[in-house]
Amino acid sequence: MVSKEQNVICMDQADPANIVIFGAAGDLTKRKLMPALYKMVHCGLVHPESKIIGIVNNRTDEVWLSLIKDGLKENLPEPMSEEMWQHFSDMLKMVPGDLADEETYSRLTNALEVYDGRKNAMFYCAIPPQWYGAAAIGLQNAGLVDEADGYRRIVIEKPIGTNLETAQKLNHEMQAVFDESQIYRIDHYLGKESVQNLLVYRFANGIMEPLWNRNYIDHIQISASETLGIEYRARYYEKSGALRDMIQSHLMQVMTLVAMEPPVEFTADAVRDEKMKVLRAVRRIDPDEDKHLSVAAQYASGQIDGETVPAYVSEEGVSPESATETFAAVKFYIDNWRWQGVPFILWTGKRLEKKVSEVVIRFRKPPFNLFDSHATVPKANALVFRLQPDEGIVLRMNAKMPGLTTDIQRMVMRAPYAHEGMHVSEAYEILLHDVLMGDATLFSRSDEIEESWDIVEPLIKSWQDRFSIERYRAGTWNVPAMDELLEGCEGGWHKPT
Ligand code: BG6
């Protein structure tokens, strides 16, 4: 349904629920969760009788409320009136306490609203992963896991582990308390509308399927380039690096959507079963061959938007000897009938020239050049899904240059994803709404997480003893090893324009 006033495609309104946030005074709550909930309340996706309950340590109600209000002012795209704040803040409730303290969970139990005899509750863990287990056990001991009197869903964020072993451990900890169907593992890339559009584009258009395979596609590049550095996250990033931070999670999830077979139905398990088959078919990398199949690099100082930015090793909290990669690329192969021999190059980097996330499908060149006698030769077609910003699809074709010759020029067809003035929902709005509706399609299942760790594990192991690393100047695409990685791929490295 389209609401004219808000230009929003309205989804269903969820039943009234208790939306409980652990870590409700933290950065994620302030920057992402509250603005998303505010917009959802505003456009009727959250039932007005719902309560947003923040578990907060060492702060008074007043301090917490003003922190949330400031966060909304900073992070909402449009100004918030006092009246709108009043309406939203009437839904907010603070429960003071520490996660490790049993009393906190008793207070939470008392704070939960009952709606027609049901205590529907979503528990969002906006806390470091080492605390997920404690929160789950606290909820269990307080009797807040059983679904006899309403649903109970727990939401956790990446990183789900730092390798296969720790991911398995965390999954076991959560599954010891909650049933897998109650666990929602957020990957915010799956909440991006443009990422979901990949599925609609593939499975709602009959013309793509015949082309979507090794017979027509030369290779695929899936990328997320950023201009930001690591900001205040040195402690996390030093241990994570770009491979864990972006490739094992977001980019590999996007790869599964690009490569999967059509599911039998559009339900959570049918979709996730197909994604899982892709991950199982990904060829495991042999570390001896590693150098031909991957690239790691780190930013040196340079200029971004005319400002000089420091090198990674000069960022606060980073060791001057650090060899952590801020740029990573891996060439994967999917060993199945559809994709045999087609490289999937996943790459990401911080402090690059532009912030762009894309999926680039490069087709094979025409088998024979009919126009060979002329200076210009046809280039391979490319279909580019721009995931952000300027979400949309671009098709690069060859066309005749106007004039009396048959010279060829590049023609670019662009289709923006949303019409002007239309609201493209933020990932967190979509994902929070899905949790309230009980739809887990856009959330990762435990087996997907473990399989993706299994895929990157050999690389992690071979990179962990590295002493030195190639450098690129911040604000540039100057990573020469990428040209080698893409050697033999039609058109080479696609740097976003
Ligand atoms: C996060 C990573 O998951 O995704 C960050 O931890 C990264 O390092 C961010 O900057 C990128 O998200 P987006 O939506 O801005 O592409």
Side-chain angles (χ1 to χ4, degrees):
M1 184 178 72
V2 179
S3 131
K4 282 205 186 113
E5 295 86 343
Q6 292 150 3
N7 250 338
V8 169
I9 308 285
C10 279
M11 300 180 271
D12 296 336
Q13 184 174 75
D15 288 342
N18 294 284
I19 301 170
V20 180
I21 305 179
F22 291 105
D27 194 55
L28 177 67
T29 306
K30 197 173 137 183
R31 283 194 309 121
K32 298 285 184 189
L33 302 183
M34 287 296 179
L37 287 167
Y38 174 91
K39 286 197 235 162
M40 291 164 73
V41 168
H42 188 51
C43 70
L45 296 178
V46 169
H47 196 286
E49 283 170 34
S50 298
K51 285 282 170 224
I52 302 169
I53 304 174
I55 313 286
V56 179
N57 203 8
N58 292 332
R59 282 185 178 83
T60 61
D61 280 47
E62 293 73 41
V63 170
W64 181 61
L65 284 174
S66 85
L67 186 137
I68 299 303
K69 189 175 182 184
D70 291 346
L72 287 174
K73 283 189 189 154
E74 278 163 35
N75 293 291
L76 285 173
E78 271 146 36
M80 173 179 67
S81 68
E82 201 47 41
E83 190 192 342
M84 278 148 73
W85 163 248
Q86 273 314 322
H87 175 59
F88 184 68
S89 60
D90 284 348
M91 297 173 79
L92 298 176
K93 225 184 207 185
M94 189 186 103
V95 169
D98 189 312
L99 277 178
D101 181 1
E102 265 181 36
E103 285 296 309
T104 307
Y105 301 89
S106 321
R107 282 197 284 273
L108 172 60
T109 310
N110 295 332
L112 293 180
E113 296 282 326
V114 184
Y115 305 102
D116 276 341
R118 290 175 66 77
K119 270 191 196 169
N120 292 338
M122 166 213 287
F123 304 110
Y124 200 113
C125 294
I127 47 178
Q130 59 269 30
W131 284 98
Y132 295 167
I137 288 172
L139 290 168
Q140 185 181 42
N141 292 342
L144 290 177
V145 171
D146 189 84
E147 296 195 288
D149 61 348
Y151 69 70
R152 304 289 150 76
R153 297 173 188 149
I154 188 156
V155 187
I156 56 178
E157 283 263 348
K158 80 174 246 286
I160 313 277
T162 52
N163 58 18
L164 178 59
E165 193 189 336
T166 49
Q168 282 170 333
K169 187 165 168 279
L170 184 53
N171 280 336
H172 290 160
E173 260 173 46
M174 300 307 289
Q175 286 165 339
V177 175
F178 287 94
D179 184 76
E180 176 65 22
S181 63
Q182 295 174 279
I183 307 172
Y184 289 71
R185 296 177 192 79
I186 280 211
D187 183 309
H188 81 277
Y189 259 62
L190 294 183
K192 292 186 193 284
E193 288 214 40
S194 52
V195 172
Q196 292 162 55
N197 190 37
L198 287 168
L199 285 184
V200 177
Y201 190 83
R202 284 195 58 199
F203 301 129
N205 291 300
I207 60 166
M208 287 322 297
E209 174 56 21
L211 303 178
W212 211 258
N213 56 54
R214 64 191 299 272
N215 298 326
Y216 295 94
I217 294 178
D218 178 80
H219 75 275
I220 294 178
Q221 295 183 40
I222 300 175
S223 66
S225 60
E226 299 186 81
T227 49
L228 283 180
I230 52 155
E231 297 175 291
Y232 49 88
R233 297 162 75 216
R235 247 177 68 196
Y236 156 75
Y237 204 85
E238 270 285 82
K239 295 214 179 89
S240 150
L243 179 65
R244 286 184 170 99
D245 187 43
M246 294 294 288
I247 292 189
Q248 177 273 334
S249 48
H250 307 318
L251 297 190
M252 232 185 247
Q253 282 290 325
V254 175
M255 178 173 82
T256 60
L257 301 183
V258 173
M260 70 191 246
E261 295 301 316
V264 285
E265 54 185 3
F266 196 59
T267 57
D269 272 329
V271 171
R272 296 188 294 183
D273 286 347
E274 294 306 332
K275 287 166 64 196
M276 185 59 194
K277 284 186 207 162
V278 173
L279 294 171
R280 286 181 52 203
V282 173
R283 193 182 303 164
R284 293 336 193 219
I285 289 170
D286 175 352
D288 295 335
E289 269 193 73
D290 167 9
K291 40 189 173 309
H292 309 298
L293 295 176
S294 64
V295 171
Q298 187 189 77
Y299 60 82
S301 93
Q303 298 249 314
I304 302 264
D305 294 333
E307 303 265 316
T308 302
V309 295
Y312 175 72
V313 284
S314 309
E315 300 273 16
E316 206 184 316
V318 173
S319 150
E321 276 89 49
S322 174
T324 299
E325 78 286 354
T326 59
F327 181 102
V330 188
K331 192 191 265 183
F332 290 113
Y333 286 93
I334 299 174
D335 287 331
N336 64 17
W337 272 62
R338 190 185 283 271
W339 296 116
Q340 187 61 41
V342 178
F344 281 72
I345 295 104
L346 275 50
W347 66 266
T348 182
K350 296 211 178 275
R351 290 282 193 229
L352 293 169
E353 198 178 305
K354 290 206 154 54
K355 176 169 174 68
V356 175
S357 300
E358 285 182 336
V359 175
V360 179
I361 315 284
R362 282 256 174 79
F363 291 90
R364 291 188 190 286
K365 274 221 292 252
F368 168 71
N369 182 9
L370 195 58
F371 310 102
D372 206 19
S373 59
H374 298 277
T376 44
V377 286
K379 292 198 177 125
N381 299 124
L383 182 62
V384 180
F385 292 88
R386 177 61 79 97
L387 306 179
Q388 65 180 21
D390 307 327
E391 294 84 349
I393 296 170
V394 173
L395 179 61
R396 292 170 195 268
M397 307 272 292
N398 296 301
K400 187 184 155 320
M401 186 103 76
L404 299 181
T405 67
T406 48
D407 279 355
I408 291 168
Q409 66 170 343
R410 203 81 164 127
M411 197 178 83
V412 178
M413 292 156 79
R414 290 175 206 279
Y417 170 64
H419 303 297
E420 205 166 311
M422 227 177 183
H423 171 84
V424 177
S425 302
E426 289 278 336
Y428 278 95
E429 293 168 47
I430 294 175
L431 295 171
L432 286 167
H433 182 256
D434 280 359
V435 180
L436 292 173
M437 299 301 285
D439 181 355
T441 313
L442 299 177
F443 296 81
S444 312
R445 215 167 49 189
S446 59
D447 51 352
E448 288 179 71
I449 301 274
E450 291 173 20
E451 200 70 23
S452 53
W453 278 118
D454 188 58
I455 293 168
V456 296
E457 188 115 307
L459 267 174
I460 290 178
K461 285 192 177 140
S462 100
W463 285 5
Q464 72 194 358
D465 301 324
R466 184 175 51 201
F467 295 113
S468 64
I469 186 163
E470 187 183 335
R471 300 267 150 77
Y472 57 97
R473 195 151 57 80
T476 69
W477 302 113
N478 193 8
V479 187
M482 281 301 278
D483 297 323
E484 283 165 45
L485 186 76
L486 278 120
E487 212 175 279
C489 294
E490 260 322 318
W493 185 18
H494 174 93
K495 302 176 190 94
T497 48

